[in-house]
Every structure is written in structure tokens, then in C-alpha cells.
């Protein structure tokens, strides 16, 4: 057990928590090597505290060859030496806990890195060996096994099987450097329990579970697939690759482990499944929560937002869990930009057939002023909803996506493997601007592992801290207020004019959102905070306001 301060408190602290996602390599760099690190995060502990968040979630910081931004984990129970040490991790937990901030780490159970010792052993071991049985190795088709075992593409484009020097093939749903584990193997199951215990014992409060719906696969016959669109995934538990009912047995064993801690460790599933299949992931005898990405994919429109909210509050009721809201994360275009990209799927995971992203990324002509107005309004609306909210580093600065990163400086395998079909996720992973000028805008004393645009300084923390009307000031005010006002997980809809949406958190506050391009009159009440100035009782276009009813 590490010496970190343990945080006690109610077992249900997570139900309406605000969790701030840190992408460690891009947050703050303490030693001028251009890569964000744990000491950098510790140096910003007071900044994190100033946001009144309840927890931080760290994307992977484990040893990794960075074939997929760290989601290719070479050792689940260590820290990448470029990012820090286990001792520094303990210091980070302590720094957070001292400030009442809890900590989530990211668990990547579907696949490891090809640098993981188990995969290295598998490569050196013969066909049919116990070492290969931890992954999915198969013989190929064709006269000499020269054809892949099945017609499977990966998430990031072409092949989902890669051949090893001795002629066998292994399956990978993501890059070839991310071999999939075989979860029917008890050794794999035991090893992940060991990892969860390792971090729980170090004081970690919660886990974000990567691709939580893919672990269990039906490999007889070997699955074929060429598209990862949700429409292709079966929605009744019979899909050979995703969302099989048996996956919940794994999470029940995890839950038993989580409940051995006081307070119990918590977890949130990243599962891009059909919405009606989400509840079991959030079940209280399973992981306990599941991401709901429906607002993130929703059109900027009152009716759509209201439907999404209703549906997800119903799901939450079915499981006894609370829902989760997300507007941005490390995989999608930042919401300032996304909310003014013409409708379609471009802004989220994949490009559509018109491929807006590829065609427009160097010359987008987007109305980012409107994008920022909508983003602030969307966030203020989200923060008024019952359930927990997940924020992504830099959204509190109103950062737009960086769309013009030169191709040769991109890192995202989705871009390189996608053959022009997929967007790059690098644009939301550019290191944060802390200061208006200087090398890497205060990210560190050196460079920055992804190029920062010249306009980044205007968005910096130092600049925004001096402006009461900045996005940062809005986030701080709203987050602090939310903490004070937060009550029961209940929402009542209020009548409101066309193009607007209004709801009340009984006994505490009203949120009124104007999705339209015209100003509208706000309901009676005292203005607590608004995403744009209310004048003469009018809320500007694309804005939201919190009110206390008189
Ligand atoms: C999840 C992560 C994403 C990663 C993928 C493979 O979707 O959020 O960043 O590329 O899993 O691990
Ligand atoms: Ca560094």
C-alpha cells in the first residue's frame, strides 16, 4: 500500500461527479522534453483544484511504443519513464487527494502492445503453445497459409490480421501493434484482476475501461468484418466481435474486487454499443457506469437534446446507476469546432462519404465564434443535468480543434491507416497553452510533441484568468455553483418557446438554453451564470443561462 492520503467519503461520491480527463503527454511538461509528464500534472494541482472538479481521469501513462497514443500498453503496472515513475504517481495521488480530487486511471483490456512481455514471449513460442493462447493466433488460409484466417479489417483501416515470421497470424481490432487478448483464457482474466488491485492499492479511486464491449469474441467461425459502423453491429448480444452478453461475467468479477475497497472503487465503461444495450455495462453489479456519448453525437437542436436527455435518464433509472455526459474527449473533434461542422458524422469518429474532414481541414472556413458560443452553452446545459459530467482538458479554455497539423507531424494511426477515410485525432491532443507566449506557450520550457498553432496563446490560462468573461472564468463559476446547488438526480421539463429548452432541478435551479440564432426572452428569475451576457431580459443566440426562480 502506498503512503498516499486515502479519500474516504460516501460510497456514491461518483454519481454526480465532474471528472476532468487529462491526456498526460499533452497537459504539462516539467523537464522540457516536449512530452507532458506526471510532475507537470502535479505542478498544476492548484489549477485543477480551482476548477472545482471531483476527479481527474488520466489517459494511459504506461510504458508504450506509442503506436496508438499510449493505448498500446507494454506494461499495465508501471509508468512510462518518459512520463515519470511509480513514486511520482504516488505523489500525484497524494497531491490530488489532499485537494479532495479523486483519480481514475485508464485500463485497456482488449489488447496490449506488441511490446508487452506476453506478446514477445508468444512470438518466440511455437504454434499451439500456452504463450500464444493469451492472444488470438491462427493459421492462415490458402495453400501455404498466406491468406489471413478471415476477412477482417481493423478499426483504423485495412487488415485486422498480421502475419508473424513463422507464418501464423494474430488478430488485432486496432493497429497491428495492438494484438487482442483471448479473454477465454483464465490467465488473462487473472492478470487484469492483478492490475486492478495494483492501482486500487495505490489509492486509485476509479477506472475508465477502454473498448469495454470487445473483450469476449465468438471465434468459431472466425469473424469477418469490413466496417465498424454501429449499424453493422448486431444489437442482441449475438455479434461475434462486440457487446456479447458474456462480457458482463468478467465485469462481475471486477465488481467483487472493487467492493473490497472502502469506498468501493468505481469504473466507467467506454462501450460504443447500441444505446439500449448500454444499461448492463452501467449495472451496479458490473462496472457501475457507462459513457453516454449521445450528446457528443447530437445535432445542435433543442428537440434532439431533449430526446437524448430523456432517454439516458430512463436508462439510468433501469440500472440504478447515474448517467454520464460527455461533449469532448481525446478521440473526437473538440466541441467548439464540431458544433459548427456541417451535420454528419465527420466530427466524431469516422469521416462520412463526403469526407468533410479530409477535404476541409486545411481551409475550413468555420464560424468558430458561433462554435464557441454553442460549446459554452452546451457545456452549461450539460453541467445542469443530473448525473456525472466528463470534461476533456482544454475545453475549459474553449480550444477549437487544430485542423491544420501537417500530415508529416501527425501521430494518430487512425489517420495513417485510414487511407483518407478517417479523421486524425491529433487536433484535440495538441499540448495545452498555459501562457500567451514563449516556447510551447508554457506547456514546458522546451518544444511540444505536436505542433501548436500561432493563435494558441490567446486561449492560454494566463490570458483567460484575467478576463471575467473568458471561457475559463465561465467554467470556474459554473463548476463551483454546480457543487453548491447539486441536489437529487431529478429533472423537470419546463415549457419554453420553439428552439429553446428549459428544465428545472427541483428546489435548486433552472437551466434555459437557446439553440436558435436569435435572442430570446428568458424566464423570470435571478441570473446565476450565463454563457453570454443577458441584457434587458434577452439571452443571445446559441447561449444558455442558469436561473434561480424567485
Ligand atoms: C478507445 C480509445 C482510443 C483508442 C482505442 C484503442 O476507443 O479511447 O483512443 O485508440 O480505444 O485502444
Ligand atoms: Ca516531459
Amino acid at each position: 500500500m502506498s503512503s498516499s492520503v486515502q479519500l474516504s467519503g460516501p460510497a456514491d461520491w461518483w454519481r454526480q461527479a465532474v471528472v476532468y480527463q487529462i491526456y498526460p503527454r499533452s497537459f504539462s511538461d516539467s523537464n522540457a522534453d516536449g512530452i507532458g509528464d506526471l510532475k507537470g500534472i502535479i505542478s498544476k494541482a492548484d489549477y485543477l483544484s480551482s476548477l472545482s472538479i471531483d476527479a481527474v481521469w488520466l489517459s494511459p501513462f504506461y510504458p508504450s511504443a506509442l503506436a496508438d497514443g499510449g493505448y498500446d500498453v507494454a506494461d499495465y503496472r508501471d509508468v512510462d519513464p518518459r512520463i515519470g515513475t511509480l513514486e511520482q504517481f504516488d505523489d500525484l495521488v497524494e497531491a490530488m487527494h489532499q485537494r479532495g480530487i479523486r483519480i481514475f486511471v485508464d485500463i485497456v483490456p482488449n489488447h496490449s502492445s506488441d511490446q508487452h512481455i506476453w506478446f514477445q514471449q508468444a512470438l518466440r513460442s511455437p504454434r499451439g503453445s500456452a504463450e500464444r493462447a493469451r492472444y488470438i493466433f491462427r493459421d492462415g488460409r490458402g495453400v501455404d497459409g498466406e491468406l489471413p484466417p478471415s476477412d477482417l479489417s481493423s478499426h483504423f483501416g485495412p487488415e485486422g490480421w498480421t502475419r508473424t515470421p513463422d507464418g501464423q497470424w494474430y488478430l488485432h481490432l486496432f493497429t497491428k501493434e495492438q494484438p487482442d487478448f483471448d479473454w477465454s483464457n483464465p490467465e488473462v482474466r487473472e492478470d487484469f484482476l492483478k492490475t486492478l488491485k495494483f492501482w486500487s492499492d495505490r489509492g486509485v479511486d476509479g477506472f475508465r475501461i477502454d473498448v469495454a464491449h470487445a473483450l469476449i469474441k465468438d471465434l468459431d467461425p472466425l469473424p469477418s468484418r469490413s466496417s465498424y459502423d454501429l449499424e453493422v453491429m448486431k444489437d442482441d448480444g449475438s455479434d461475434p466481435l462486440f457487446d456479447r452478453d458474456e462480457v458482463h461475467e468478467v465485469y462481475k468479477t471486477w465488481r467483487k474486487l472493487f467492493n473490497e475497497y472502502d469506498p468501493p472503487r468505481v469504473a466507467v465503461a467506454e462501450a460504443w454499443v447500441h444505446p439500449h444495450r448500454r444499461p448492463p455495462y452501467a449495472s451496479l453489479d458490473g462496472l457501475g457506469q457507462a459513457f453516454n456519448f449521445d450528446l457528443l453525437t447530437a445535432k445542435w437542436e433543442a428537440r434532439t437534446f431533449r430526446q437524448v436527455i430523456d432517454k439516458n435518464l430512463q436508462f439510468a433509472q433501469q440500472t440504478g446507476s447515474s448517467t454520464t455526459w460527455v461533449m469532448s474527449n481525446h478521440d473526437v473533434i473538440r466541441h467548439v469546432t464540431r458544433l459548427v461542422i456541417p451535420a454528419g458524422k465527420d466530427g466524431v469518429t469516422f469521416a462520412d462519404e463526403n469526407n468533410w474532414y479530409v477535404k476541409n481541414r486545411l481551409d475550413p472556413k468555420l464560424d468558430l465564434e458561433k462554435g464557441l458560443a454553442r460549446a459554452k452553452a452546451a457545456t452549461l446545459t450539460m453541467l445542469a443535468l443530473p448525473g456525472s459530467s466528463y470534461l476533456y482538458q482544454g475545453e475549459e479554455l474553449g480550444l477549437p480543434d487544430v485542423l491544420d497539423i501537417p500530415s508529416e507531424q501527425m501521430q494518430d494511426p487512425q489517420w495513417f491507416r485510414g487511407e483518407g477515410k478517417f479523421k486524425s485525432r491529433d487536433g484535440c491532443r495538441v499540448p495545452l497553452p498555459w501562457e500567451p507566449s514563449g516556447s510551447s506557450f508554457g506547456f514546458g520550457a522546451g518544444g511540444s510533441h505536436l505542433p501548436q498553432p500561432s493563435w494558441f496563446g490567446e486561449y492560454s490560462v494566463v490570458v483567460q484568468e484575467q478576463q471575467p468573461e473568458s471561457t475559463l472564468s465561465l467554467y470556474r463559476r459554473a463548476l463551483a455553483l454546480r457543487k453548491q446547488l447539486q441536489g437529487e438526480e431529478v429533472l423537470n421539463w419546463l415549457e419554453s418557446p420553439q428552439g429553446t429548452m428549459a428544465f428545472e432541478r427541483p428546489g435548486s435551479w433552472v437551466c434555459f438554453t437557446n439553440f436558435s440564432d436569435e435572442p430570446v426572452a428568458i424566464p423570470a428569475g435571478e441570473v446565476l451564470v450565463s454563457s453570454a451576457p443577458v441584457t434587458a431580459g434577452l439571452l443571445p443566440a446559441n447561449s444558455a443561462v442558469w436561473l434561480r426562480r424567485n
Side-chain angles (χ1 to χ4, degrees):
M1 176 80 69
S2 75
S3 61
S4 312
V5 183
Q6 298 283 314
L7 268 193
S8 54
D12 66 353
W13 63 267
W14 51 273
R15 293 193 68 96
Q16 302 208 69
V18 174
V19 184
Y20 178 96
Q21 179 188 359
I22 292 178
Y23 193 76
R25 287 178 186 79
S26 300
F27 189 69
S28 172
D29 172 19
S30 71
N31 61 349
D33 65 355
I35 300 171
D37 45 50
L38 298 183
K39 276 176 99 172
I41 302 173
I42 296 172
S43 75
K44 302 294 184 195
D46 288 335
Y47 173 77
L48 292 166
S49 180
S50 79
L51 295 172
S52 307
I53 51 175
D54 300 288
V56 292
W57 143 34
L58 302 190
S59 276
F61 49 80
Y62 315 110
S64 169
L66 300 183
D68 183 18
Y71 283 88
D72 46 322
V73 179
D75 182 347
Y76 291 86
R77 299 187 283 272
D78 205 350
V79 177
D80 186 330
R82 287 167 292 187
I83 291 190
T85 63
L86 279 172
E87 289 65 38
Q88 287 168 3
F89 182 83
D90 294 341
D91 294 343
L92 173 63
V93 173
E94 187 155 340
M96 292 300 124
H97 282 179
Q98 273 167 355
R99 290 165 177 79
I101 300 174
R102 302 188 191 256
I103 183 159
F104 282 65
V105 300
D106 215 312
I107 298 292
V108 189
N110 179 65
H111 44 266
S112 70
S113 155
D114 62 350
Q115 304 301 308
H116 191 285
I117 182 161
W118 274 6
F119 193 73
Q120 290 297 315
Q121 286 169 351
L123 287 181
R124 289 196 298 269
S125 303
R127 284 176 153 79
S129 59
E131 285 80 3
R132 288 209 171 177
R134 294 163 176 152
Y135 294 91
I136 304 173
F137 279 87
R138 293 293 185 273
D139 291 330
R141 293 172 300 175
V143 188
D144 294 315
E146 74 282 8
L147 297 173
S150 70
D151 297 321
L152 184 74
S153 43
S154 85
H155 260 279
F156 300 149
E159 70 290 339
W161 293 98
T162 289
R163 204 167 192 197
T164 61
D166 73 354
Q168 258 204 325
W169 298 74
Y170 64 90
L171 181 147
H172 50 91
L173 291 184
F174 293 89
T175 70
K176 69 178 177 19
E177 295 85 2
Q178 291 166 295
D180 281 41
F181 283 117
D182 185 342
W183 272 84
S184 67
N185 186 333
E187 253 192 291
V188 172
R189 296 186 183 223
E190 276 158 31
D191 199 62
F192 273 91
L193 285 171
K194 198 167 157 189
T195 295
L196 294 167
K197 190 168 174 346
F198 178 86
W199 294 109
S200 298
D201 287 346
R202 291 196 107 87
V204 162
D205 305 280
F207 300 95
R208 179 263 188 189
I209 313 302
D210 188 69
V211 210
H213 57 308
L215 277 45
I216 306 293
K217 301 174 180 80
D218 182 359
L219 299 172
D220 188 18
L222 287 172
S224 292
R225 178 151 321 205
S226 58
S227 157
Y228 284 82
D229 267 8
L230 200 54
E231 291 86 73
V232 183
M233 190 193 298
K234 295 220 173 83
D235 70 348
D236 60 0
S238 68
D239 192 280
L241 287 174
F242 297 104
D243 190 30
R244 297 186 64 79
D245 294 329
E246 305 92 300
V247 79
H248 300 295
E249 286 156 27
V250 172
Y251 298 135
K252 279 191 181 135
T253 66
W254 292 17
R255 174 49 55 192
K256 269 178 68 186
L257 175 82
F258 296 156
N259 286 351
E260 285 168 18
Y261 292 85
D262 179 22
R265 297 324 190 216
V266 306
V268 57
E270 185 223 19
W272 289 85
V273 297
H274 292 277
H276 73 274
R277 299 276 305 169
R278 211 181 286 138
Y281 293 88
S283 140
L284 295 178
D285 61 4
L287 293 175
Q289 263 197 331
F291 281 131
N292 136 33
F293 295 120
D294 299 352
L295 275 189
L296 186 152
T297 50
K299 210 168 149 193
W300 179 247
E301 179 181 81
R303 192 170 42 110
T304 306
F305 265 58
R306 181 164 170 164
Q307 278 167 0
V308 163
I309 293 165
D310 270 335
K311 193 176 67 191
N312 282 288
L313 292 178
Q314 275 164 24
F315 286 151
Q317 257 177 4
Q318 276 173 36
T319 59
S321 180
S322 60
T323 194
T324 56
W325 306 107
V326 188
M327 289 305 298
S328 274
N329 65 30
H330 67 296
D331 287 333
V332 300
I333 295 203
R334 286 185 176 279
H335 62 293
V336 168
T337 305
R338 192 178 69 238
L339 288 168
V340 282
I341 285 183
K345 287 182 287 178
D346 301 285
V348 186
T349 310
F350 304 112
D352 66 10
E353 45 302 342
N354 299 320
N355 220 334
W356 186 93
Y357 181 82
V358 175
K359 283 202 212 121
N360 294 280
R361 74 176 193 94
L362 296 174
D363 185 19
K365 299 194 182 59
L366 292 172
D367 183 350
L368 287 179
E369 211 174 303
K370 189 189 257 190
L372 181 60
R374 287 182 173 175
K376 291 197 283 191
T379 300
L380 203 57
T381 307
M382 166 175 92
L383 291 176
L385 292 170
S388 59
S389 282
Y390 282 74
L391 308 178
Y392 176 54
Q393 69 178 40
E395 69 165 85
E396 77 279 21
L397 305 177
L399 285 181
D401 223 72
V402 183
L403 295 174
D404 58 357
I405 299 176
S407 202
E408 60 285 3
Q409 283 176 276
M410 290 218 199
Q411 299 172 6
D412 185 4
Q414 180 169 285
W415 176 255
F416 295 111
R417 294 175 60 93
E419 299 168 323
K421 277 202 303 242
F422 304 132
K423 73 180 189 69
S424 165
R425 298 168 297 178
D426 291 320
C428 65
R429 300 176 177 179
V430 175
L432 292 189
W434 293 91
E435 290 164 18
S437 58
S439 71
S440 65
F441 298 105
F443 164 64
S448 138
H449 69 97
L450 276 170
Q452 296 163 305
S454 55
W455 44 265
F456 239 32
E458 298 158 37
Y459 289 85
S460 65
V461 172
V462 163
V463 166
Q464 296 202 33
E465 282 191 324
Q466 288 150 15
Q467 302 167 342
E469 298 312 322
S470 67
T471 309
L472 177 59
S473 302
L474 172 69
Y475 268 71
R476 283 185 171 152
R477 266 203 304 282
L479 287 161
L481 257 172
R482 170 189 160 102
K483 236 190 184 142
Q484 277 168 30
L485 298 173
Q486 198 58 274
E488 300 285 297
E489 290 169 42
V490 190
L491 161 161
N492 294 331
W493 291 108
L494 304 175
E495 274 194 43
S496 76
Q498 179 87 15
T500 69
M501 186 180 90
F503 60 86
E504 177 186 33
R505 298 294 299 277
S508 9
W509 85 107
V510 168
C511 177
F512 180 84
T513 312
N514 179 8
F515 291 83
S516 78
D517 285 326
E518 303 297 329
V520 283
I522 56 165
E526 175 202 347
V527 173
L528 298 171
V529 58
S530 69
S531 69
V534 174
T535 32
L538 287 180
L539 180 68
N542 298 302
S543 308
V545 61
W546 289 1
L547 300 156
R548 201 193 322 264
R549 292 229 247 192
N550 296 322

